[in-house]
Amino acid sequence: MKIILASSSPRRRELLSHIGVDFSTAVPPASAEASIEACRYNPTEFAERNSFMKAGEVAKISPKDSIVLGADTIVVLGDVILGKPKDGEDAKKMLLALSGKMHEVITGVTVINNKIGRSITSHESTEVFFKKLSSEEIDFYIKSGEPMDKAGAYAIQGLGSLFIPGIKGCFFNVVGLPLFKCMSMIRDISED
């Protein structure tokens, strides 16, 4: 069956390409994602709900013989969801908050089999440990531009890796797509 990635994320496309998945992409409308401010869900429910909304919108316009994969990755510090920074000052606030602490990265994943009209939704969670950051490190990182389109204002696969002494869980989840979980879900829903 044809796999359609419901995402505009270049990182998700790159991850699927690296493992040899034949897929196309379709970008869900912005309305297929709840705002963090409007969230009345716990973080896991929020990520799962957004993945379901994204996949559902793309499934509506996809061929009947397709499998649609939707994902939503969030960074959670305590009980606060950190989205993508609005500007450099917002990125600085996020990085200062993460400095010297452990946080959680949660990716909600939804897979829809359009042929049988069935979906499954789950999530992956990874603990990420940040070193204590100096003002100089934060300023340098923000000037690099890397934090600006990333949840939590960092990229583990880029310069942000210099701030992370360790993780507990799936590395690919922190990048934006937990590959093992996604491929297991696709296999499970394709066998129905």
Side-chain angles (χ1 to χ4, degrees):
M1 292 181 82
K2 183 177 186 170
I3 296 175
I4 301 171
L5 174 63
S7 178
S8 62
S9 167
R11 291 163 295 281
R12 290 185 181 126
R13 289 193 308 264
E14 187 178 336
L15 287 172
L16 284 178
S17 294
H18 277 294
I19 61 169
V21 174
D22 184 22
F23 70 98
S24 60
T25 59
V27 179
S31 61
E33 189 169 344
S35 71
I36 291 171
E37 292 78 17
C39 176
R40 290 176 287 173
Y41 303 90
N42 73 39
T44 300
E45 289 173 346
F46 178 71
E48 287 184 352
R49 179 175 181 257
N50 278 344
S51 75
F52 181 79
M53 291 169 59
K54 291 176 182 180
E57 288 298 314
V58 169
K60 289 178 190 175
I61 58 167
S62 296
K64 196 74 169 150
D65 65 340
S66 63
I67 299 252
V68 178
L69 169 64
D72 189 65
T73 302
I74 59 173
V75 172
V76 183
L77 179 62
D79 59 357
V80 177
I81 298 173
L82 301 177
K84 295 177 182 175
K86 299 176 190 86
D87 54 30
E89 194 55 41
D90 197 29
K92 187 172 191 168
K93 286 178 191 171
M94 289 184 192
L95 292 166
L96 282 169
L98 294 170
S99 177
K101 297 184 182 113
M102 185 278 292
H103 65 275
E104 189 176 16
V105 176
I106 301 169
T107 301
V109 178
T110 296
V111 179
I112 299 174
N113 183 328
N114 258 355
K115 188 173 185 178
I116 61 173
R118 182 170 167 252
S119 69
I120 50 176
T121 299
S122 188
H123 70 277
E124 186 73 40
S125 178
T126 304
E127 293 179 347
V128 179
F129 303 90
F130 251 54
K131 78 177 201 105
K132 187 80 173 153
L133 302 176
S134 69
S135 295
E136 293 79 16
E137 288 171 314
I138 291 173
D139 290 341
F140 172 80
Y141 190 51
I142 291 169
K143 284 179 186 163
S144 77
E146 187 175 273
M148 299 319 298
D149 68 337
K150 316 290 188 305
Y154 75 92
I156 193 170
Q157 72 279 15
L159 290 173
S161 64
L162 300 174
F163 306 148
I164 302 168
I167 68 169
K168 183 177 177 185
C170 176
F171 169 81
F172 298 109
N173 180 51
V174 184
V175 178
L177 198 64
L179 292 173
F180 180 81
K181 178 167 285 295
C182 290
M183 298 317 294
S184 296
M185 291 170 69
I186 289 170
R187 185 188 64 245
D188 290 348
I189 205 163
S190 298
E191 292 172 354
D192 286 350

